[in-house]
Amino acid sequence: MRIFICGFGTVGQGFAEVVADKTSYFKKRYGRDAIIVGAMDSKSYVVDQNGLDPIGLVATKKDSKRVGANTYTDSTAVLDMVDYDILVEVSPTDVNTGGVGLINIKHALSKGKDVITVNKGPLALKFRELMDLAKTNGCLLRFEGSVGGAMPIINLCTESLAGGEIKSVRGILNGTCNFILSKMDNGQPFEQALKEAQQMGYAETDPTNDIEGYDTACKVVILANSVFGRDVSFKDVDITGITSITEDAISMAASRNMVIRLIGEVSATKLEVSPRLVPKGHPLGISGTLNTAQILSDIAGPITVSGRGAGRLETASAILSDLIAVMDKRLL
Ligand code: HSE
């Protein structure tokens, strides 16, 4: 399997490391390797039909801040320079236009390539169009890591719980907001907590997307479309972020043995992101950067999952599971 990686930031590099680490796993399971034939960041690219050294790519990026020596103006022209089977699209999220990620995903699908992405912009804006494009061209479009990072949620609902009807999903889907609110529980001011979240590499390139609830809204849309079969986009979500949560509100909640958490909720009729009062000790009252979700299925009943919602290897683990699903389908 030949992979092209678009976006070589934290997640792209983590995924390259995972590909290197899983060489013997791929050989054992499929009798062949998964190779990276192209990598692109916002400024540069490198391609080699015979395969690139994943660890070398990470080292080049670290040393020169670029993944390759070549520059480009048209990312789709770069994609066309090599033969690849799977596009791993992990460029930064643009919730307004879908950005270069949307262009790349459409281009790859229209050429019959399978796509794995964690890029929330294209999925939150053009979900149905992309799924239709994949279907028309006989391709797979998978996106487990786009919601909850390492926490299994999309494939859990659509595959592991297949056959049942998912009634609702409610959860903490943004680690930055949860980190800030948890710090505020301990008396830390909002701005200081946000700065810490940024230093940890959790916040989006533009943290407005986190604190205004836009990142959670994208995830809610992805769940609504993929798990509930709805046809909604970002503009359909009722969104309230955490910027107006005052220290007084946090203290008042604490005096009632509650915490305030930013909750995303989706069902057949609901599409909402809002700060809510949650009793201390409740599964949705967790602290720190973890994500958590409560799934209610008609047959399976309630299921709660939690895990790391972001991170270099954590997000790469979700991409790996999608890669294996694609390879199983194509190679077995
Ligand atoms: N900014 C996001 C978060 C990263 O804080 O959870 C993962 O989507």
Short mmCIF file of all heavy atoms in Angstrom, two decimals, residues 120 173-176 202-204 210 215 219 309-310, ligand 1:
data_model
loop_
_atom_site.label_atom_id
_atom_site.label_comp_id
_atom_site.label_asym_id
_atom_site.label_seq_id
_atom_site.Cartn_x
_atom_site.Cartn_y
_atom_site.Cartn_z
N LYS A 120 -11.06 18.22 10.31
CA LYS A 120 -12.48 18.39 10.62
C LYS A 120 -13.21 19.33 9.67
O LYS A 120 -14.42 19.18 9.47
CB LYS A 120 -12.62 18.89 12.06
CG LYS A 120 -12.22 17.85 13.09
CD LYS A 120 -11.83 18.47 14.41
CE LYS A 120 -10.41 18.94 14.37
NZ LYS A 120 -9.86 19.38 15.64
N LEU A 173 -15.67 16.80 23.96
CA LEU A 173 -14.98 16.49 22.71
C LEU A 173 -13.86 17.47 22.41
O LEU A 173 -13.30 17.45 21.31
CB LEU A 173 -15.99 16.46 21.54
CG LEU A 173 -17.16 15.49 21.73
CD1 LEU A 173 -18.19 15.67 20.62
CD2 LEU A 173 -16.69 14.04 21.79
N ASN A 174 -13.56 18.35 23.37
CA ASN A 174 -12.46 19.29 23.17
C ASN A 174 -11.61 19.35 24.43
O ASN A 174 -12.05 19.81 25.48
CB ASN A 174 -13.02 20.68 22.82
CG ASN A 174 -11.91 21.67 22.54
OD1 ASN A 174 -11.37 22.29 23.45
ND2 ASN A 174 -11.53 21.80 21.28
N GLY A 175 -10.37 18.87 24.28
CA GLY A 175 -9.47 18.80 25.43
C GLY A 175 -9.06 20.17 25.94
O GLY A 175 -8.89 20.36 27.15
N THR A 176 -8.92 21.13 25.02
CA THR A 176 -8.50 22.47 25.44
C THR A 176 -9.52 23.09 26.39
O THR A 176 -9.16 23.59 27.46
CB THR A 176 -8.32 23.38 24.18
OG1 THR A 176 -7.36 22.76 23.33
CG2 THR A 176 -7.88 24.77 24.56
N TYR A 202 -2.22 21.31 22.56
CA TYR A 202 -3.57 20.78 22.44
C TYR A 202 -4.49 21.69 21.62
O TYR A 202 -5.33 21.24 20.87
CB TYR A 202 -4.18 20.62 23.85
CG TYR A 202 -4.48 19.19 24.17
CD1 TYR A 202 -3.46 18.34 24.54
CD2 TYR A 202 -5.75 18.69 24.04
CE1 TYR A 202 -3.72 17.01 24.80
CE2 TYR A 202 -6.03 17.37 24.29
CZ TYR A 202 -5.01 16.53 24.66
OH TYR A 202 -5.27 15.21 24.90
N ALA A 203 -4.28 23.00 21.80
CA ALA A 203 -5.20 23.96 21.17
C ALA A 203 -5.02 23.95 19.65
O ALA A 203 -3.96 23.59 19.14
CB ALA A 203 -4.93 25.34 21.72
N GLU A 204 -6.06 24.33 18.94
CA GLU A 204 -6.00 24.45 17.48
C GLU A 204 -5.05 25.59 17.11
O GLU A 204 -4.72 26.43 17.95
CB GLU A 204 -7.40 24.78 16.92
CG GLU A 204 -8.42 23.69 17.14
CD GLU A 204 -8.11 22.41 16.37
OE1 GLU A 204 -8.02 22.44 15.15
OE2 GLU A 204 -7.96 21.36 17.03
N ASP A 210 -11.37 26.45 19.54
CA ASP A 210 -11.59 25.65 20.74
C ASP A 210 -12.55 26.36 21.69
O ASP A 210 -13.61 25.82 22.02
CB ASP A 210 -10.26 25.40 21.47
CG ASP A 210 -9.28 24.58 20.65
OD1 ASP A 210 -9.59 23.42 20.37
OD2 ASP A 210 -8.21 25.11 20.29
N ASP A 215 -14.69 23.90 17.43
CA ASP A 215 -14.06 22.60 17.26
C ASP A 215 -15.03 21.48 17.71
O ASP A 215 -15.22 20.48 17.01
CB ASP A 215 -12.75 22.54 18.07
CG ASP A 215 -12.09 21.18 18.00
OD1 ASP A 215 -11.53 20.85 16.94
OD2 ASP A 215 -12.16 20.42 18.99
N LYS A 219 -17.06 18.40 15.47
CA LYS A 219 -17.11 16.99 15.85
C LYS A 219 -18.56 16.50 15.97
O LYS A 219 -18.88 15.36 15.60
CB LYS A 219 -16.33 16.79 17.16
CG LYS A 219 -14.83 17.02 16.94
CD LYS A 219 -14.06 17.22 18.23
CE LYS A 219 -12.58 17.39 17.95
NZ LYS A 219 -11.81 17.90 19.09
N GLY A 309 -7.87 12.92 23.51
CA GLY A 309 -8.54 13.50 22.35
C GLY A 309 -7.61 14.13 21.34
O GLY A 309 -8.04 14.58 20.28
N ALA A 310 -6.34 14.20 21.64
CA ALA A 310 -5.37 14.80 20.72
C ALA A 310 -4.00 14.25 21.06
O ALA A 310 -3.85 13.50 22.03
CB ALA A 310 -5.39 16.32 20.83
N1 HSE B 1 -7.95 21.34 19.74
C1 HSE B 1 -8.51 20.06 19.89
C2 HSE B 1 -8.75 19.79 21.37
C3 HSE B 1 -7.58 19.03 19.30
O1 HSE B 1 -8.39 20.65 22.19
O2 HSE B 1 -9.34 18.79 21.72
C4 HSE B 1 -8.24 17.77 18.85
O3 HSE B 1 -9.24 17.94 17.91
#
